Amino acid sequence: MRRVYFTPGPSGLYFTVEHHLKHAVKTGITSISHRSKQFEEIFKEAETNFKELVQLPDNYQMVFTSSATEIWEKMADGLITGKSLHIVNGAFSKKFYSVVNNLNKETDIIESSWGDLPDFKTRANEEYDVVGVTHNETSTGVETPLDQLYSLKKQHPESILAVDAVSSLPVVNLDYSKVDTVYASVQKAFGLPAGLGVWLINDKTEELARNLHDSGKVRQTPHNIVSLIDQARKYQTPSTPNILAIYLFSQVVRDMINRGIQQIRNDIIYKSAIMYNMLEKHNILNPFVKEKTLRSDTIIVVDSGERTNDLLNYLSAHKLEVGNGYGKMMGKQIRIANFPTHSKEQFEMLVDLIEKFE
Amino acid sequence: MRRVYFTPGPSGLYFTVEHHLKHAVKTGITSISHRSKQFEEIFKEAETNFKELVQLPDNYQMVFTSSATEIWEKMADGLITGKSLHIVNGAFSKKFYSVVNNLNKETDIIESSWGDLPDFKTRANEEYDVVGVTHNETSTGVETPLDQLYSLKKQHPESILAVDAVSSLPVVNLDYSKVDTVYASVQKAFGLPAGLGVWLINDKTEELARNLHDSGKVRQTPHNIVSLIDQARKYQTPSTPNILAIYLFSQVVRDMINRGIQQIRNDIIYKSAIMYNMLEKHNILNPFVKEKTLRSDTIIVVDSGERTNDLLNYLSAHKLEVGNGYGKMMGKQIRIANFPTHSKEQFEMLVDLIEKFE
């Protein structure tokens, strides 16, 4: 048996990636020009497939970047001239705040302890250029309930609501009409090698970006929201992209459509349920997130305390790799990814093994 | 026979890449955390191998970015507070100039027509933060003779001499003590899939970057020269990188060491010689670069005029792909990459076929 990666990202490859990689090398996709018709076809197919998979409305444009970190920087540069609000409940929501803050922008923050969610209404009715919220905190395993997430839009109707779905897209069933921009990395739930960011931008976000761009108020970098959108409309990118990753993305998304997004989502819920149920009854281990409505389906964080390294080694001896706690929780927690590539059988095996750990 | 890509980038994969890709997938390298010890070993091996391959002096630090375009932006942000000088003789040298210019920096330009080199001495003895020169213009097939390139250092001793070696590294035998910073993309002469930039930064460049960074005069973005260097010293990156590409880079560079860099360079010279010799005598086709000392060994540009599409189709029918002319020369020229992955036998076949084209 090959080692199985339940790590929270990079994670296990989607099970069809190996096949698509072979095809890409065999047919020369790694060697085609990114200015060729063939590349445009790949980009177009990626967009068509993705729009179908998540039912993305037509007022959204998909663009590719090299990472979600790049998206944070380009949002700060291209959308925020006034002030931004950041809902912070872990390391990654904090990072977006830090990126904006380090660029000397004015920022407000609503912060909770790890494992929880702050009170979203604290700054209600204040307007911001951007309100940033993390749907699924990869560091803590807290999932923001969608009704709460959408409530930010009601509280800040003029602001751009930017949703970090790095470790939940395409599993999360988002109502895209209730948010403005959404971004993800492919090395999490898409099951692809790291090195590509996916950014969904609605017309309202584009309009703000274009106005600021045209007014000369924002930096005219090679990659900026406007250049990324303008190129993407031609199925192009401003600079040579990770062509292989875009090809793999298009193919894996097609495979997910064929499997059925509802089936994928049901499987995730099943796997998450058996894991949390087992953890609730475990003698040594506990789910970190106490409030059940906040428990992430895709990133399951476990309090393992001083037994953390024993647990990691025990699972690793069975060729199962899970993640260590993030940042300050390293050595105190484990994090388990529950992504589309992880089969029910693999997950049941993992649950069984953790259940027997003592 | 598989199709052979002599395109100027992305180009044919180095012939060992397929093997390394299989190994990466089989052993889970695409799934490891970029914060793991295992990733640090991969980064360290990449650096060790690369330093050995090109005999990089110890006062240089290697960092990875997502592309050479990102390097242009990070140089503009992190090194240029005053003025920069750009030696421009084609589309890519012009792009670096445009990136800096679009960020509202003060820029001087010394420009020649395509296929030529401008007079480097025009602005001698003026000092700039950065002097940018392209060793090998991928758009025109002009290679800057190294003695001329080094002369820029004598003319601007206080400036950072930044060398674009995008389509010549690691073939070019650079004297790193006579320049300050050098950058490349991996999808050209390294024969790797696109999606990784390699940036070599000497101590003088680092000192300038660090002083500006610490003074707060430059943008504190997630990726900046200082954060890239600080992380690289720990064999780390500021954000999740293209781990697969870094692994493939380390392995291909090792393969090139085993083959011998001198052997690789000799083969390139042999292949370039037979191509230019044939072109000199061709009835229809001509080498674009008239001055022999300026002819690139790695990017050979051919005037093919109205026969361009015929020639592209003729070669393609034989499963050989070459590049079209760049930008304004599309449909008027072809561009042939002569990289380490292209064997003498493949190149001889290409030369024979072009010779017979009428």
Side-chain angles (χ1 to χ4, degrees):
Chain A
M1 188 184 98
R2 275 193 196 173
R3 203 161 281 280
V4 184
Y5 287 83
F6 297 95
T7 43
S11 193
L13 291 182
Y14 196 69
F15 51 87
T16 59
V17 168
E18 193 169 353
H19 164 77
H20 296 307
L21 259 179
K22 273 184 198 159
H23 180 80
V25 172
K26 200 172 152 191
T27 57
I29 284 166
T30 51
S31 302
I32 62 167
S33 166
H34 62 292
R35 299 296 177 216
S36 67
K37 189 81 196 148
Q38 202 183 342
F39 173 75
E40 290 170 13
E41 293 296 333
I42 289 170
F43 193 130
K44 190 174 178 177
E45 193 182 342
E47 184 183 86
T48 306
N49 291 353
F50 182 77
K51 284 195 152 188
E52 182 178 342
L53 182 71
V54 304
Q55 295 291 303
L56 191 72
D58 281 339
N59 66 327
Y60 272 81
Q61 177 66 48
M62 181 182 77
V63 307
F64 292 114
T65 65
S66 59
S67 66
T69 301
E70 186 182 6
I71 296 171
W72 286 333
E73 182 182 334
K74 299 309 172 192
M75 279 201 285
D77 274 351
L79 297 174
I80 305 170
T81 48
K83 207 167 167 183
S84 61
L85 173 65
H86 301 266
I87 315 290
V88 172
N89 64 329
F92 294 97
S93 40
K94 190 73 168 260
K95 277 191 186 179
F96 181 27
Y97 163 78
S98 300
V99 167
V100 180
N101 219 32
N102 287 341
L103 291 171
N104 300 319
K105 312 269 182 178
E106 222 181 316
T107 46
D108 277 344
I109 183 168
I110 305 178
E111 194 167 7
S112 76
S113 57
W114 282 32
D116 212 338
L117 257 191
D119 177 5
F120 284 17
K121 290 182 184 155
T122 315
R123 300 258 175 192
N125 304 318
E126 287 187 51
E127 282 307 328
Y128 298 93
D129 292 334
V130 168
V131 174
V133 63
T134 301
H135 172 251
N136 198 66
E137 239 306 341
T138 314
S139 62
T140 67
V142 168
E143 190 174 302
T144 305
L146 288 177
D147 53 348
Q148 286 201 60
L149 193 147
Y150 301 145
S151 76
L152 288 167
K153 193 73 204 153
K154 288 184 198 145
Q155 292 164 35
H156 310 278
E158 302 299 320
S159 309
I160 299 297
L161 181 55
V163 181
D164 176 337
V166 163
S167 56
S168 56
L169 205 70
V171 175
V172 56
N173 190 4
L174 264 182
D175 182 342
Y176 289 91
S177 72
K178 293 178 174 164
V179 302
D180 295 303
T181 184
V182 181
Y183 54 96
S185 297
V186 299
Q187 73 273 19
K188 316 254 176 197
F190 288 101
L192 293 168
L196 191 72
V198 178
W199 190 3
L200 316 174
I201 300 162
N202 79 355
D203 45 5
K204 179 180 165 183
T205 309
E206 179 182 346
E207 194 187 346
L208 172 62
R210 216 170 271 283
N211 287 339
L212 291 175
H213 187 272
D214 294 348
S215 73
K217 277 186 199 157
V218 301
R219 284 160 50 86
Q220 315 285 317
T221 45
H223 282 201
N224 60 61
I225 305 187
V226 173
S227 71
L228 287 162
I229 291 174
D230 285 346
Q231 290 292 321
R233 293 252 159 83
K234 298 183 281 181
Y235 306 112
Q236 279 289 345
T237 54
S239 64
T240 317
N242 187 338
I243 299 169
L244 178 60
I246 294 173
Y247 170 74
L248 295 175
F249 176 84
S250 79
Q251 297 307 298
V252 161
V253 169
R254 166 59 55 201
D255 295 333
M256 289 182 176
I257 292 169
N258 291 339
R259 187 168 148 204
I261 188 69
Q262 199 47 56
Q263 184 65 48
I264 288 172
R265 287 171 179 161
N266 289 345
D267 288 355
I268 299 271
I269 292 168
Y270 165 78
K271 291 180 288 169
S272 134
I274 60 170
M275 182 64 76
Y276 281 118
N277 284 342
M278 178 275 293
L279 289 171
E280 289 278 2
K281 299 174 201 146
H282 204 283
N283 283 333
I284 306 171
L285 308 172
N286 288 298
F288 171 54
V289 180
K290 301 305 165 214
E291 171 57 46
K292 289 186 182 177
T293 58
L294 300 184
R295 284 181 184 164
S296 166
D297 286 320
T298 51
I299 303 285
I300 299 165
V301 178
V302 183
D303 274 331
S304 43
E306 55 190 22
R307 300 299 306 282
T308 301
N309 285 332
D310 293 342
L311 179 55
L312 289 169
N313 292 336
Y314 161 78
L315 294 173
S316 191
H318 288 87
K319 295 203 169 183
L320 304 182
E321 298 291 334
V322 300
N324 208 321
Y326 190 87
K328 63 185 181 187
M329 303 312 274
M330 191 173 285
K332 298 175 187 168
Q333 297 182 333
I334 64 161
R335 291 178 301 148
I336 300 165
N338 173 15
F339 290 153
T341 195
H342 302 118
S343 70
K344 288 198 273 192
E345 292 70 22
Q346 288 172 338
F347 225 77
E348 285 160 357
M349 188 167 65
L350 178 65
V351 169
D352 282 350
L353 278 170
I354 295 178
E355 190 168 24
K356 287 176 193 145
F357 178 73
E358 53 184 21
Chain B
M1 188 184 97
R2 275 194 196 172
R3 202 161 282 280
V4 183
Y5 287 83
F6 298 94
T7 44
S11 192
L13 291 182
Y14 197 68
F15 52 86
T16 59
V17 168
E18 192 169 355
H19 165 76
H20 297 307
L21 258 178
K22 273 183 198 159
H23 180 80
V25 171
K26 201 172 152 192
T27 57
I29 284 166
T30 50
S31 301
I32 63 166
S33 166
H34 62 293
R35 299 297 177 216
S36 66
K37 190 78 197 150
Q38 202 183 341
F39 173 75
E40 290 170 13
E41 292 297 331
I42 290 170
F43 194 129
K44 191 174 177 178
E45 194 182 341
E47 184 184 86
T48 306
N49 291 353
F50 181 76
K51 283 194 152 189
E52 183 178 342
L53 182 70
V54 305
Q55 295 290 303
L56 192 71
D58 282 338
N59 67 327
Y60 271 81
Q61 177 66 49
M62 179 181 80
V63 307
F64 291 114
T65 65
S66 59
S67 66
T69 301
E70 187 182 5
I71 297 171
W72 286 333
E73 183 182 334
K74 298 310 172 190
M75 279 200 286
D77 274 351
L79 296 174
I80 305 170
T81 48
K83 206 169 169 183
S84 61
L85 173 65
H86 300 266
I87 313 290
V88 171
N89 64 328
F92 293 97
S93 40
K94 190 73 168 259
K95 276 191 186 179
F96 181 27
Y97 163 79
S98 300
V99 168
V100 181
N101 218 32
N102 287 342
L103 291 171
N104 299 318
K105 312 269 181 179
E106 222 181 315
T107 45
D108 277 343
I109 184 169
I110 306 179
E111 193 168 9
S112 76
S113 58
W114 283 31
D116 212 337
L117 258 193
D119 177 6
F120 284 18
K121 290 183 185 155
T122 315
R123 300 256 175 194
N125 304 318
E126 287 187 51
E127 282 308 328
Y128 298 93
D129 292 333
V130 168
V131 173
V133 63
T134 300
H135 172 251
N136 198 66
E137 240 306 340
T138 315
S139 62
T140 67
V142 168
E143 191 174 304
T144 305
L146 288 177
D147 53 346
Q148 285 201 60
L149 193 148
Y150 300 145
S151 76
L152 287 167
K153 193 72 204 154
K154 287 184 197 145
Q155 293 164 35
H156 311 278
E158 302 298 320
S159 309
I160 299 295
L161 181 56
V163 181
D164 176 338
V166 163
S167 56
S168 55
L169 203 72
V171 174
V172 56
N173 190 6
L174 263 182
D175 181 342
Y176 288 92
S177 72
K178 294 179 174 163
V179 303
D180 295 304
T181 184
V182 181
Y183 53 97
S185 296
V186 299
Q187 74 273 17
K188 315 254 178 197
F190 288 100
L192 292 167
L196 192 71
V198 178
W199 190 3
L200 315 175
I201 299 162
N202 78 354
D203 43 5
K204 179 180 167 182
T205 309
E206 180 182 345
E207 194 188 346
L208 172 63
R210 214 169 272 284
N211 286 341
L212 291 174
H213 187 272
D214 295 347
S215 73
K217 276 186 199 158
V218 301
R219 284 160 50 86
Q220 315 286 317
T221 45
H223 282 201
N224 60 61
I225 304 187
V226 172
S227 71
L228 287 163
I229 290 175
D230 285 346
Q231 290 292 321
R233 293 252 159 83
K234 300 183 280 181
Y235 307 112
Q236 279 289 345
T237 54
S239 65
T240 316
N242 188 339
I243 300 169
L244 178 59
I246 294 174
Y247 170 74
L248 295 175
F249 176 83
S250 77
Q251 297 307 299
V252 161
V253 168
R254 166 61 53 200
D255 295 333
M256 288 182 176
I257 292 169
N258 290 339
R259 188 168 149 202
I261 188 69
Q262 198 48 56
Q263 183 65 49
I264 289 172
R265 288 171 178 160
N266 289 345
D267 287 356
I268 299 272
I269 291 169
Y270 165 78
K271 291 181 288 170
S272 134
I274 61 171
M275 183 64 76
Y276 282 118
N277 283 344
M278 177 276 293
L279 288 171
E280 289 277 1
K281 298 175 204 146
H282 204 283
N283 283 334
I284 307 171
L285 308 172
N286 288 298
F288 171 54
V289 181
K290 301 305 163 214
E291 171 56 45
K292 287 185 183 179
T293 59
L294 300 184
R295 283 180 185 165
S296 166
D297 286 320
T298 53
I299 303 286
I300 298 165
V301 178
V302 183
D303 274 331
S304 43
E306 57 190 18
R307 300 298 306 282
T308 300
N309 286 331
D310 293 341
L311 178 54
L312 289 168
N313 292 336
Y314 161 77
L315 293 173
S316 191
H318 288 87
K319 294 203 170 185
L320 304 182
E321 296 292 332
V322 300
N324 208 319
Y326 190 88
K328 64 185 180 186
M329 303 312 273
M330 190 174 285
K332 297 175 187 169
Q333 296 182 334
I334 65 162
R335 290 178 302 147
I336 301 165
N338 173 16
F339 291 153
T341 195
H342 303 117
S343 70
K344 288 198 272 192
E345 292 71 23
Q346 287 171 339
F347 225 77
E348 285 161 357
M349 187 167 66
L350 178 65
V351 169
D352 281 351
L353 277 170
I354 295 178
E355 189 169 25
K356 287 176 193 145
F357 177 73
E358 54 183 21

